[in-house]
């Protein structure tokens, strides 16, 4: 399902961008988020819109390629593993259609070989999930060959663990027993974690 999270506007931008924000230098702030983890992509889309991007969300390689062919975005955040294929195919298509586009590959299955492939295909960087919006924004704004500055307030180790548990829980259709089995965790322990608020 391809959705338009923030429609482009003509004239006035929907948010006021700071002069110190490098995104302000871009007249085209279109961003494609390609991820089949809907809770994650929904949160990320809202966070990136708040930073001034005009966000479009897709959930499959087919939708991502269609979005790129229709109107290649200036920026892209693309998950590696999708139900119908590999997100690297979308990065490759984006680079064919818009060579100057900036892309970030996200994956929960990180390895050096895949990172090298992503960079060769034109992704500026490669981040392990769950990456937060500050990391992604910083990476998209980095110059080619440069590393993004580390985020001022990165997620704590407890928050990273919580986000991972929540992601597996959603992928298991919120089935506590199945989630506990896949995480190799006692069911009661998982229930206590799920009952608590997200750590900072």
């Amino acid at each position: 399902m391809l959705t338009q999270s923030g429609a482009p506007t003509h004239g006035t931008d929907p948010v006021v961008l700071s002069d110190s924000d490098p995104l302000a230098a871009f007249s085209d702030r279109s961003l494609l988020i390609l991820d089949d983890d809907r809770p994650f992509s929904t949160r990320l889309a809202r966070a990136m819109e708040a930073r001034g991007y005009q966000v479009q969300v897709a959930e499959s390689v087919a939708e991502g390629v269609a979005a790129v062919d229709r109107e290649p975005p200036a920026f892209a955040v693309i998950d590696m593993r999708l139900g119908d294929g590999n997100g690297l195919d979308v990065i490759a298509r984006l680079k064919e259609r818009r060579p100057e586009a900036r892309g970030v590959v996200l994956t929960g299955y990180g390895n050096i070989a895949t990172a090298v492939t992503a960079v060769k295909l034109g992704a500026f960087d490669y981040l392990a999930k769950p990456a937060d919006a500050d990391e992604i924004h910083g990476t998209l704004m980095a110059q080619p060959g440069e590393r993004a500055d580390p985020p001022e307030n990165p997620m704590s180790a407890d928050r990273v663990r919580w986000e991972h548990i929540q992601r597996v829980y959603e992928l298991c259709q919120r089935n506590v027993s199945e989630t506990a089995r896949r995480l190799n965790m006692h069911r009661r322990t998982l229930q206590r974690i799920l009952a608590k608020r997200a750590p900072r």
Side-chain angles (χ1 to χ4, degrees), residues 109-132:
Y109 306 86
N111 61 65
I112 293 172
T114 312
V116 170
T117 300
V119 171
K120 285 181 177 178
L121 286 175
F124 270 35
D125 213 335
Y126 176 96
L127 297 174
K129 292 179 78 172
D132 67 20

Side-chain angles (χ1 to χ4, degrees), residues 51 103 149:
R51 287 162 175 76
D149 292 334

Side-chain angles (χ1 to χ4, degrees), residues 15 29 42 44 47 50 68 105 108 152 154 165-167 170 187:
V15 295
R29 301 178 189 125
T42 299
L44 180 60
V68 168
V105 171
E152 289 293 329
I165 289 170
Q166 291 292 325
R167 181 170 186 267
E170 293 293 339
R187 191 175 189 277

